[in-house]
Structure formats: structure tokens, C-alpha cells
Amino acid sequence: MELNEMLEQINELYNSRHIADVKKLLNDLNPADIAQLLEAVDEERRRIFFFRLLTKENAAETFVEFDFDTQEKLIHSFSDAELKEVLDEIYVDDAADIIEEMPATVVKRILKNTDSETREAINSILKYPEDSAGSIMTPEFVDLKKDMTVEDAFKRIRRTGVDKETIYTCYVTDASRHLIGVTTVKELLLSDYDDIIEDFMETNVISINTLDDREKASTELSRYDFLAMPVVDMENRLVGIITVDDAIDVLQEENTEDIQKMAAIVPTDTPYLKTGVFETWKKRIPWLLLLMVSATITSQILTSFESKLAALPVLVAFIPMLMDTGGNSGGQASVTIIRSLSLGEIKMGDIFRVVWKEIRVALVCGVSLAVVCFAKLMLFDKPVLGNSEITLSVALVICLTIVAEIVCAKIIGCTLPIFAKRLGFDPAVMASPFITTIVDAISLLVYFGLASLILSI
Amino acid sequence: MELNEMLEQINELYNSRHIADVKKLLNDLNPADIAQLLEAVDEERRRIFFFRLLTKENAAETFVEFDFDTQEKLIHSFSDAELKEVLDEIYVDDAADIIEEMPATVVKRILKNTDSETREAINSILKYPEDSAGSIMTPEFVDLKKDMTVEDAFKRIRRTGVDKETIYTCYVTDASRHLIGVTTVKELLLSDYDDIIEDFMETNVISINTLDDREKASTELSRYDFLAMPVVDMENRLVGIITVDDAIDVLQEENTEDIQKMAAIVPTDTPYLKTGVFETWKKRIPWLLLLMVSATITSQILTSFESKLAALPVLVAFIPMLMDTGGNSGGQASVTIIRSLSLGEIKMGDIFRVVWKEIRVALVCGVSLAVVCFAKLMLFDKPVLGNSEITLSVALVICLTIVAEIVCAKIIGCTLPIFAKRLGFDPAVMASPFITTIVDAISLLVYFGLASLILSI
């Protein structure tokens, strides 16, 4: 059923006071869908009324799915008892996420209504730097000891599992909480009850550090097809895990960020329609300004060649084509390299192979484009469009410029992202708009250089 | 340890004939790492030798991680018995993936060496269209009946689970294989042994159809935080599941595709360094050609205004700046909308809200850029750079063009992707390079229109 239909139905039921039906309809849905539905309810009071119809478990899971605005409004309307009920049910990493986005007064109320153990866990997550593995991990995992039997393990899982976000990967730790092994519920289920964990646990445990980048953690999790990635501190003690659903969210957020940077936008994780006009302006204006101001260079180049242009005005007509072709070629190279860097397909050490490949691709692309352009100029633009100023030499200047600028564009496009990464910047900012600005200037210099040489103007 | 160090160590051990140590070192690694290491082994024969040192389970899991080239070479060097051993251990969906990429002779050998049941399963996956949910699902899942007890369920999992890619989500089907409920191993572990599945299973089961897009399947899986997404046929019979690790791979591939399309590249899923020069050329040249040829329009516009440019040559100097600013502004809008569409944040019905928002953002961006540009022209370009042709009226023409072109660029940038989606095309092709070409032409017309009006040339 579509969201709008469902919204209509639920509002009708509410208006005709069939509250039990509303309750059933809501609680039958998946929390992600309940959240979407309730966010579409216009009236604040009605939304709260609906929320209160949810079962304890659904309420908590739905609450986590809301956006931060809705969460804040709901918290304001909660009694302390209600707030405590929701907080008791949600996982510590989700609670930490929410707290990070709330104003100080709300944070105070949240922390007041959690028990001291949870409060401590939340605080320990909050102290990790933004975008670190520590900041997205949950301290709730199943830990076993190596001398346990399978039966002991199941007992422990049954006793403590209800509070854990995932129970399927179990971590084996020693007395000082060092991570020494890992096993899975599947392994446990397929073993005999009196088998000892130590005998079949995997001892080559892959883990990452609390201070590693959260993107690295997520990429590694995906590389090894894990359901959870263990996170250890500097002393190699297990302090938490990152679950696969959070890893997917991180990967998607990082992809969005990369795409925004490539399009010369300052990254933001607020959904488009929820961002205000001023907010959107703030994300877009810095790069527009910078790139506009850098275009002073192209203006200066054109001004200095003004007399040549006056002598042969037809040259002006092809400036946009040349600049776009250069920009597009450079953009193709830079975006390919940026993506490959982010997927870990190429490394700093590959730079010479990359450049060598791009030079060859550029030559093939440049020559094929130049041939087509030459044919178009001589067989279409000149005779059909009647542009009589196009001579063989003019066409030659234009086509040679295409080859030269594409080679320059591809070399610049593939090297800048790698250098950016080397210097510790995000390669994604070295994408099309930035490359275009540089390639523009080079293309113009090549163009006028060749024009002076071949056309002797 | 770094890959290169490990490679060195393993080659040394091999050369000094410490084969048992090589075997231990290899088998202690995770299959994803073994695959990376073996692919870095230069000599073909040595790689096969190393591969044969792997345990049966590691061999199969490593084989799946290899790229298709390596897989093909290995298959050629396998005896039939070896091939059968590997094939018996790998999951059906992985086997189908491999078969899709192999030449006919290899496919024949593979199918000859699988038992008839597996062969049938592979064939049923292969018949689904590329990029459909059916094409990436695995038919190996745990199915339960509603009247089973928890104890029965565990017996069934223990008996059949070893062959299943994931056992953690269990699907409840009726006699005609309709999907009627779902539960998890966690739920089962936390229930009593004599509880009946029907009493606690989730009956509001979210599933997708075999013919749905694989990207939709993966996005939904992530939205609901599932470990597997059930796939049903047209009669709502459960035919397979998509596991979370495959869903992540699909999301990453789709992201790469979107990014490539945005950069005017025909999408490819071959890693950069493994793509040949000619292959890369083939992916890049179509858009370059199309965009170069469409630039004929800008050439024509400039040619038709040649006399005006001759009267006031300073106007030429700002053409690159105006075109880049327009292109960048349009690109920001289009890329934002393309990403929001792909994340499901906006829909066709939001088009008026989107356009209204972009118009306001464009006005704020346009006015702020114009103000800065005006100041730069009058306070820097004219007095400092000595460009005496810049008059108040010329600056006015340039700055008004900025405002007008940004508004046009943002409107075009936000509407084209939405229309593309409506017409069933991928919105991602409506990104910067495409928008730039259109915005270039409009900007030039606005520029010369304003110049005629204000400067009366």
C-alpha cells in the first residue's frame, strides 16, 4: 500500500474513533515504515497520539528511525517515564547518535533518564572523534571465554542476548578483555553441545582500532563479508563492534559526500527537502566563488590575446567547445581515479601506471575527437553552416588544440586526486569543476600558441 | 602485515621448500586476503601450487574472491575432480556469477561437474534479467513450517544449515511455498524449546519480486536493516533470498555506475587498472563526441554575434568565467537531485517544491556572486590589472548575466534528472557535462541580449 493511502486510512480511522484499528494497523508495520508514516502526519498532537499507540518495542525502534527534528519534538512532549521507556529499549550506539544532534537541554534530560551503566557507555562513544570507528560502534556484543563449551555459550547468549544488537558473531576474550578469537552462532549450532570453543574458534581475528576512520571500518567489513566488525582500543582490548547495517549507512553517507564534493558542494548529510534555502546556499557558494575568482586567469589570457582575436574573430567561436571538451576529458579521468582510490583499487604507488595509461587513453580519445571535429568543420560548419572564415589552417589549429588539451586534461585529472590523497586531503574535491578551471587556462594558452604558430597572427 | 611483505615471505618459504609453513601461513588468512595475495603472485604455476595448499573450505571461499580472469585460468588448470571439489563448496549464487563471465567451453565444464540439483538452481538464477533481484539471489535459505516447535526448527537448521549462506533469518512457508512468516535465530534462541513458530513469527513479511531491480532490493534491505531480503515469484512463492553482503556489493556497484554516468563515462564494473586502454577509450569517447558535436550551437551563437564582439572585444574575456559559473551552478543542482532520487529522498511529485527551492537558492547564489564579481571588476580588474575597457555598463552586463544564468542553470539542473527518471532513463546521465552544454548556449544568448540592450551595440 502506498504511503498516502495508508495515511488517509489511518486518519479516517482516527476521526471515526476506531483507535484499536489504528493501533493494530500501526503495530503491524515495520518500524522504518511506521516512522515514515508518522513523519507524514501533519498535526503534531496527532503524531504523538499515534506514537503512544505503539508497543514498547515498536516505539523504540520507530523512534530511532525518525529524523532528528521529529525526535526532538517528541522528546519535548514525553513525560520522564515515557522518555525512560524509549531509552531503555534503544541500543547504546543509536542513543549516542541522537544525543550528538540534540541541544544541551534535551541531552541533559536524556542522560538524566538513563541508568548509570548506559550513561557511561554513551559517554564513552561520544568521546571518540567524529567519523572514527569508535563513534559508530556499539559496546553491546556477545563475549565468550575460550574454555566454555557450546552449551555454556548458548546459555550465555540466551541470558544476555536480548539486549545485544547482534548475537550472531561471538567474540572470545581473555581475562584482560583482549580479543583472542571469534566464532558464529552458525558454527555453534553446527557443533556438539560439549565441544570447547577454543577448539574451533577462528584465531586469526580481523579487527580495527577505535581511532580508525569509520569508512575504513565499513569497507573492511564489506570486504570480509562480516556481519559485525570488532573494534579494539590501543591495548588491543575489545571495546565494541560495528554492525553491518550501520556499515551500510556509513558507506552510503560517504558516497553521498564524495558525490557532493565532486560537484563542488560542501558536503551535508541533511536530506535535500529538509535543508533550508540559506543552508543550501552556504553549501554551494564557497566553491562557486572560488571558481569564479580563479577564472580571472582565463580573462587575463583572453585579454592579452585580444589583438590576435581581432585579426581572426572566428577563433572565438570555438572557445566554448574547446573548454568544455577539455573539462569533460579531465573530469572523466579525475572522477575515475577518485572512485578507484575510494574503493581501494589503486594506491599512491600506482601513479606511474595510472599516468601512463591516461596518456595513451588521452591520445586515442584526442585523435578520434580531432578527426571527427576536422571532418565536421570542413564538411559541415564551412559548407553547410556557411562559416567561410574556417580555413584548413584554422581547422588544424582547433584539432591540434583538442589533442593537446585532452592529454593535459587527463594527466592533470589523474594526478591531482592522487597528490591530494598523499597530502591528506580528500581526493574528491579534485573533481571536474576544479580541473576545468585549470584545464581552461592551459587550453587557451595552447590554442593561441598554435594559432600564432600556424596562422602567423 | 603489508601485502608485499607477505608475498616476499611466502616466496622465500617456497624457494627454501618450507611448504608446510606456506600452507599454514596461507590457511591462517581470511579468504579475501588469500585471494589478494595469490593474485599478486606473478608466476601462474606457482599460484596454482599455492592454491592447492588451501583447505577445501578456504579454496572455495578464496576462489569466489578472485577476479574472473584468475578464475578462468585456474579452471583451465584444474582436473575435473578438483573443479568438482571447489564447485561443491561454493554457494549457488556465486557459481551463477562466475558462469555469467566465463566463455562457453568453461561454462560447459562447470555444469558438467555440478550435480543435477545445483545445475538446475544455477540455471534458474541465470534466466533472470541482468540487474534483477532474481539474478543475485541464492536459492539456499532456511525454510520452516508454522506448526514446528522451536526444537524442530533448531533440528532443521542443524541438519540443513551447513549449506546455507545465511541461517539467521528463517522463512516460514505453507504447503505451496508461499511466504507466510519470518523469524530469526535470535528469536528462536530466546524462546522456549516447545514454543510454536506460528505464535511468535512476524507475519507482516516484507519481500520483493524476482523481477524488481537489484538496486531496489538492496536499498530496501538496508532501509529495514535486514540480514537477508526474501525474493518471491509472481505467485508470491518464496524462491530465494538476497544476503546483506551481496546487497552491499550491489549498492557500491550502483554508486560507482552513478558516479561514472555523472562524469559522462559509460559505466563499467571492471577495476581501473584491469581495463585496457581501448576499453577505457570505448567508455569515454561516446559522451565526449556527443558533447563536442553539440557545442556546434555555441559556435553558431558566437559567430552570429561576431560583429558585436568586434565592437566590444572585452566581452570575450569573460566568456569562460560565465560558462564555468553556469556549468558549476547547474551541476550542483543536478547532482544533488540525482543523488536524492537515488536515495529515495525525493519523488516525481516533489518537482514543484524542488524547482521553487532551486529558484530561491539560485537567486541568493546569483546575487552574492554578482556582487563579488562587480566589486572584483571595478576594484581589481579595472584599476589593478589595468583592463581599461571595463566600464560600469560592461560590469553590469556581466553581473546581470551571472544572476540570470544561475537561475536558468539551477532550474534546468533540477528538472532534467526528474524528467529523465519519469521517462524511464537513468537520471544520472543528466549531470554536469550534459547540463553544461545546454547552459552554455543559454548563457551566451543572455549575455549578448543584455549587451545589446545595455551597451546598445
Side-chain angles (χ1 to χ4, degrees), chain B residues 293-451:
Chain B
V293 171
S294 4
T296 311
I297 301 167
T298 51
S299 302
Q300 278 307 98
I301 295 174
L302 282 165
T303 307
S304 69
F305 286 101
E306 208 172 83
S307 58
K308 287 187 204 290
L309 286 174
L312 205 61
V314 67
L315 289 180
V316 174
F318 298 97
I319 290 178
M321 182 274 281
L322 287 173
M323 289 190 348
D324 284 349
T325 302
N328 290 336
S329 304
Q332 289 179 332
S334 66
V335 164
T336 306
I337 298 304
I338 291 166
R339 186 66 182 162
S340 299
L341 282 171
S342 120
L343 293 177
E345 288 171 4
I346 56 174
K347 303 213 163 43
M348 189 66 201
D350 294 319
I351 188 163
F352 295 110
R353 283 173 70 193
V354 169
V355 172
W356 173 227
K357 181 173 164 188
E358 285 299 329
I359 291 177
R360 287 175 296 160
V361 173
L363 283 172
V364 196
C365 282
V367 170
S368 29
L369 275 192
V371 168
V372 175
C373 185
F374 193 83
K376 182 178 94 76
L377 289 171
M378 301 310 290
L379 303 177
F380 182 75
D381 290 18
K382 192 180 162 81
V384 181
L385 297 180
N387 201 331
S388 58
E389 286 175 278
I390 299 173
T391 62
L392 208 62
S393 317
V394 167
L396 201 65
V397 168
I398 295 169
C399 295
L400 285 178
T401 304
I402 289 182
V403 179
E405 71 167 359
I406 291 184
V407 173
C408 294
K410 295 258 185 221
I411 293 177
I412 295 169
C414 74
T415 46
L416 283 192
I418 300 184
F419 286 137
K421 175 144 193 175
R422 177 70 182 186
L423 296 174
F425 297 112
D426 188 328
V429 298
M430 296 297 174
S432 325
F434 191 83
I435 305 280
T436 298
T437 303
I438 300 176
V439 171
D440 277 358
I442 296 178
S443 304
L444 286 176
L445 288 175
V446 172
Y447 191 36
F448 292 121
L450 286 171

Side-chain angles (χ1 to χ4, degrees), chain A residues 28 33 204 223 255 324 440, chain B residues 28 33 223 255 324 440:
Chain A
D28 273 355
D33 291 327
N204 171 38
R223 179 171 139 78
N255 281 321
D324 285 349
D440 277 357
Chain B
D28 272 355
D33 291 328
R223 178 171 140 77
N255 281 322
D324 284 349
D440 277 358

